[in-house]
């Protein structure tokens, strides 16, 4: 698969790349970032996937996430894809920040006009890992996944659907029960249709209710997050895990909001937590 390198910058004795390629899955050009820490030639490294939130691209965490020092310390490759397909011919809802471009919700859409391009589930689960493995020194037997907000929803649901693939799953202020909140109801109904049973595989609480399990789960949520009560509902995840006998680490961080000030504060802890579970 052809890969174009848009930029390369030295950081903490490793290299930060921004790349693009033509995606067969979305039918569009996709851009993502990859940080490769210093390593010996021929060594394969564990990989941590980071999924971004509403309105974001790969650039938000790349510029604000403050993950590189920790990834260099622990020897972890960090990959951050975009949140949706892009391009002039891609359908959009230009006046809606929470739907369309920048709001792919990590689903494979089934409804028109979204179905042709909005296939972020397949892109993140299948196409992008194959591309990364072809061009970077990753060990796909040691993977972790994390994300923020809508990307936290993506990390949780992808992790729950693929427990044998990911040794560790974490999230910052995730949308844990999207089928029961305004952001999720809007996105899932328009991407997937009105059959709520079809939404369950894209809802972390529903997946746990239906039998999915994770051995290693970490969630950080700020108490001053203005989306907590209406959109995120961290308590619903805690209740579902308790009923299922899961023992996640859910940390309510006093005074923190929904921003990258919050994410960057705890990013190094998340990287270290994943490193311990991925054998880094």
């Amino acid at each position: 698969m052809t890969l174009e390198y848009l930029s390369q910058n030295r950081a903490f004795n490793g290299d930060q790349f921004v790349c693009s390629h033509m995606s067969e899955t979305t039918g569009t050009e996709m851009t993502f970032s990859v940080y490769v820490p210093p390593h010996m030639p021929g060594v394969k490294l564990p990989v941590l996937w980071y999924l971004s939130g509403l309105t974001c691209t790969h650039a938000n965490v790349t510029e604000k996430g403050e993950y590189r020092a920790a990834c260099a310390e622990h020897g972890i490759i960090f990959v951050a894809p975009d949140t949706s397909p892009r391009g002039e011919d891609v359908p959009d809802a230009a006046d809606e920040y929470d739907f369309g471009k920048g709001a792919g919700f990590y689903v494979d859409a089934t409804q028109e006009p979204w179905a042709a391009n909005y296939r972020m589930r397949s892109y993140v689960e299948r196409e992008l890992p194959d591309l990364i493995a072809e061009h970077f020194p990753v060990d796909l037997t040691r993977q972790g996944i994390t994300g923020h907000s809508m990307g936290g929803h993506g990390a949780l649901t992808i992790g729950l659907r693929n427990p044998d693939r990911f040794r560790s799953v974490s999230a910052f202020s995730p949308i844990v029960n999207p089928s029961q909140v305004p952001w999720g109801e809007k996105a899932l109904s328009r991407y997937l249709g009105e059959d709520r049973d079809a939404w369950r595989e894209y809802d972390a609480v529903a997946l746990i209710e239906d039998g999915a399990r994770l051995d290693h789960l970490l969630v950080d949520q700020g108490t001053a997050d203005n989306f907590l009560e209406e959109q995120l509902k961290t308590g619903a995840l805690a209740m579902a895990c308790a009923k299922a006998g899961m023992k996640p680490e859910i940390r309510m961080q006093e005074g923190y909001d929904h921003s990258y000030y919050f994410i960057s504060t705890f990013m190094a802890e998340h990287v270290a937590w994943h490193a311990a579970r991925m054998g880094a």
Side-chain angles (χ1 to χ4, degrees):
M1 290 180 277
T2 302
L3 189 64
E4 181 180 0
Y5 291 84
L6 303 179
S7 65
Q8 179 177 353
N9 297 94
R10 198 73 170 162
F12 297 96
N13 293 316
D15 292 286
Q16 178 67 65
F17 299 93
V18 176
C19 307
S20 69
H21 72 112
M22 188 65 192
S23 168
E24 294 181 359
T25 303
T26 68
T28 66
E29 185 173 320
M30 296 295 292
T31 302
F32 59 89
S33 72
V34 182
Y35 177 70
V36 180
H39 62 284
M40 297 297 291
V43 172
K44 298 281 189 177
L45 302 174
V47 57
L48 179 59
W49 305 90
Y50 178 91
L51 306 183
S52 295
L54 287 167
T55 75
C56 293
T57 70
H58 70 283
N60 297 75
V61 70
T62 306
E63 297 169 1
K64 302 176 184 178
E66 300 184 25
Y67 55 84
R68 279 173 284 268
C71 286
E73 177 184 352
H74 296 286
I76 292 176
I77 290 176
F78 190 98
V79 182
D82 202 345
T83 52
S84 73
R86 307 279 176 175
E88 292 183 3
D89 296 331
V90 174
D92 191 18
D95 58 342
E96 301 175 67
Y97 79 94
D98 53 357
F99 190 77
K101 292 179 186 177
F105 266 83
Y106 304 99
V107 306
D108 280 353
T110 59
Q111 303 300 300
E112 298 301 334
W114 319 104
N117 304 114
Y118 284 77
R119 297 175 48 77
M120 292 303 295
R121 171 183 177 173
S122 289
Y123 179 72
V124 171
E125 287 186 350
R126 295 199 296 270
E127 184 178 12
L128 187 57
D130 288 345
L131 182 70
I132 294 295
E134 181 178 345
H135 293 276
F136 297 95
V138 295
D139 176 1
L140 292 183
T141 69
R142 294 187 291 164
Q143 297 187 70
I145 190 167
T146 187
H148 170 233
S149 193
M150 178 187 73
H153 141 76
L156 292 177
T157 55
I158 290 172
L160 284 162
R161 291 193 305 262
N162 300 277
D164 295 335
R165 181 183 301 183
F166 298 100
R167 295 192 184 186
S168 50
V169 178
S170 75
F172 301 90
S173 47
I175 307 170
V176 306
N177 200 185
S179 65
Q180 304 300 318
V181 302
W183 276 343
E185 289 185 312
K186 179 178 185 175
L188 297 179
S189 64
R190 291 166 72 176
Y191 288 137
L192 303 175
E194 296 297 334
D195 180 6
R196 285 180 171 259
D197 286 340
W199 301 4
R200 295 186 70 81
E201 61 185 318
Y202 297 109
D203 184 308
V205 168
L207 284 164
I208 293 168
E209 290 174 348
D210 292 344
R213 298 291 183 267
L214 290 172
D215 293 330
H216 302 288
L217 174 60
L218 169 65
V219 173
D220 272 322
Q221 172 63 60
T223 62
D225 189 325
N226 59 322
F227 299 115
L228 175 57
E229 296 302 323
E230 183 180 21
Q231 305 283 10
L232 308 178
K233 296 189 179 295
T234 309
L237 178 65
M239 290 178 59
C241 288
K243 290 180 181 179
M246 287 174 54
K247 297 180 179 179
E249 187 174 359
I250 299 177
R251 311 188 303 190
M252 301 302 294
Q253 302 290 1
E254 186 67 30
Y256 284 90
D257 60 17
H258 200 69
S259 72
Y260 268 87
Y261 295 107
F262 161 60
I263 297 166
S264 64
T265 299
F266 298 101
M267 178 65 84
E269 292 183 22
H270 279 240
V271 171
W273 181 88
H274 284 277
R277 285 149 186 82
M278 292 192 293

